[in-house]
Amino acid sequence: MTKPTKWKTQREAFIESLSYLQGRQTGKITSIKTPWQKFNDATTNGIEWHSTTVIGARPATGKTLIKDLIINGAFKLNPLMPFRVLEFQFEMLGKNSAIREYSQNLQVSYKYLCSADGVLSDADFERCKLYAKNKLQFPIDVVEESCNVMEFKETIEDYMKAHAVQVKERNTSTGKDELVLKYKNTIVTLDHSLLLDNSPYGDDMSMLKALGKTVTALKRKYPIAFIILSQLNRNIDAPERNEDGKYGNFILDSDIFGSDALLQHADTLIGLNRPGKQKLTFYGVERYIINQDPTILAMHFLKCRNGETGIGFFRTEFEKMNIVEIPTPARQERRIRT
């Protein structure tokens, strides 16, 4: 016998919405501000809780660095907001990720820190130790062992329950105080989606569909902000898409691997591109002047459920593990023939 679907009245939704708006109005509820104003402007002044952000890019474009900068910046830029971080980190060892943080904080290269480009000085090693001591005060936990979608879900649910506290809350329907579990705001990152074990689904597309449904169910139940990293489909590298000044230069939502599975579940969908790496001088039909500069990063906001789609430009500083905003590049002037 099938279990009937439950329903609730609109009254509850409107009560919840007014409570949320009042919380935003008074500053008790805020989004997670990121280090980049262009990112915040495209969203609701940052990443909202109960949301999913999907970031897709070619390998070595900077998506993991962006994720790391969002996490590191979250504690600095949102000091009054209590939250935790749970990172599913399948692609990179934890120690390598930590060294990248030292690089970004000290503004020195990864190679230098590993004494592969000159010997790391005692003074800089002490600075690394001080950074590590300060960083360890932040509640960040890491999962490095690969898992499937069900194990991913169970781990998150166990984590949310382990850090929940019991509080008294007024039941708006009965008007009585009740003990309820209060879950901690949590940023959950997945680096990246295809590194999840696809069992028992048998193929990656079926697994991604299950992941999308799972993430949506979890973000509805818990105050989670998901950041999921993904790859692009191979057709992004087709020669006709890498000709100067063509519409195909831009990242499209269909370029995100498994876009059919993830797009409908994403609140914010971002595609990253470094057009200079494809030897482009002019980028897109707007013909932004890139001049084959491989450090220029185009961040395409392909879906913003509560914001504006568009494109922002940044500069990658991989030697310092940093990404900074830059003005929108000038466009090539179009000559009018007479």
Side-chain angles (χ1 to χ4, degrees), residues 147-171:
C147 60
N148 61 26
V149 172
M150 183 57 67
E151 292 164 337
F152 174 78
K153 175 178 181 289
E154 290 173 350
T155 300
I156 292 172
E157 291 201 308
D158 288 346
Y159 189 85
M160 298 303 293
K161 291 172 184 175
H163 297 98
V165 294
Q166 279 196 332
V167 297
K168 279 187 179 181
E169 279 193 359
R170 179 61 57 92
N171 186 316

Side-chain angles (χ1 to χ4, degrees), residues 23-41:
R24 299 280 307 200
Q25 182 188 50
T26 59
K28 291 182 179 179
I29 299 175
T30 59
S31 300
I32 308 161
K33 287 187 178 178
T34 76
W36 311 286
Q37 192 57 47
K38 290 179 181 178
F39 194 118
N40 297 332
D41 288 343

Side-chain angles (χ1 to χ4, degrees), residues 60-77:
T61 299
K63 58 184 180 293
T64 298
L65 179 56
I66 284 177
K67 181 267 295 181
D68 290 342
L69 291 171
I70 289 174
I71 296 302
N72 295 336
F75 290 103
K76 298 176 185 177
L77 299 172

Side-chain angles (χ1 to χ4, degrees), residues 129-302:
K129 288 171 64 177
L130 179 61
Y131 178 84
K133 180 180 178 181
N134 292 333
K135 185 66 185 291
L136 288 176
Q137 67 182 302
F138 298 125
I140 301 177
D141 297 291
V142 180
V143 178
E144 289 185 335
E145 186 177 346
S146 182
C147 60
N148 61 26
V149 172
M150 183 57 67
E151 292 164 337
F152 174 78
K153 175 178 181 289
E154 290 173 350
T155 300
I156 292 172
E157 291 201 308
D158 288 346
Y159 189 85
M160 298 303 293
K161 291 172 184 175
H163 297 98
V165 294
Q166 279 196 332
V167 297
K168 279 187 179 181
E169 279 193 359
R170 179 61 57 92
N171 186 316
T172 55
S173 299
T174 64
K176 297 180 180 179
D177 288 337
E178 298 177 356
L179 278 177
V180 297
L181 274 181
K182 189 75 171 179
Y183 297 105
K184 294 285 183 68
N185 287 352
T186 303
I187 301 174
V188 176
T189 71
L190 173 58
D191 189 1
H192 58 78
S193 58
L194 282 181
L195 293 180
L196 281 171
D197 183 350
N198 66 17
S199 64
Y201 305 101
D203 63 87
D204 290 336
M205 292 305 299
S206 298
M207 179 272 289
L208 289 176
K209 288 180 181 179
L211 174 63
K213 291 179 181 178
T214 296
V215 164
T216 293
L218 289 170
K219 76 180 181 184
R220 290 172 66 91
K221 183 176 181 180
Y222 303 109
I224 294 176
F226 283 100
I227 301 176
I228 298 176
L229 307 188
S230 182
Q231 296 283 13
L232 300 183
N233 294 315
R234 291 183 178 180
N235 71 337
I236 189 65
D237 291 318
E240 62 272 16
R241 297 198 63 179
N242 292 292
E243 298 176 9
D244 266 321
K246 297 295 182 67
Y247 175 75
N249 299 160
F250 285 177
I251 305 295
L252 309 174
D253 52 21
S254 58
D255 291 321
I256 309 297
F257 188 87
S259 59
D260 290 343
L262 293 177
L263 178 58
Q264 63 181 322
H265 296 283
D267 298 279
T268 303
L269 180 67
I270 297 171
L272 304 179
N273 202 9
R274 289 168 60 196
K277 288 189 68 177
Q278 278 63 55
K279 305 302 181 184
L280 291 178
T281 299
F282 306 111
Y283 186 50
V285 292
E286 287 86 352
R287 300 183 73 82
Y288 294 110
I289 302 174
I290 301 298
N291 285 330
Q292 301 186 26
D293 183 347
T295 68
I296 293 179
L297 175 72
M299 188 178 293
H300 294 267
F301 293 91
L302 303 171

Side-chain angles (χ1 to χ4, degrees), residues 36 65 69 104 107 315-324:
W36 311 286
L65 179 56
L69 291 171
Q104 193 272 333
Q107 293 291 281
R315 186 174 304 282
T316 58
E317 298 175 344
F318 287 119
E319 71 283 358
K320 299 177 180 177
M321 293 299 164
N322 198 22
I323 293 175
V324 296

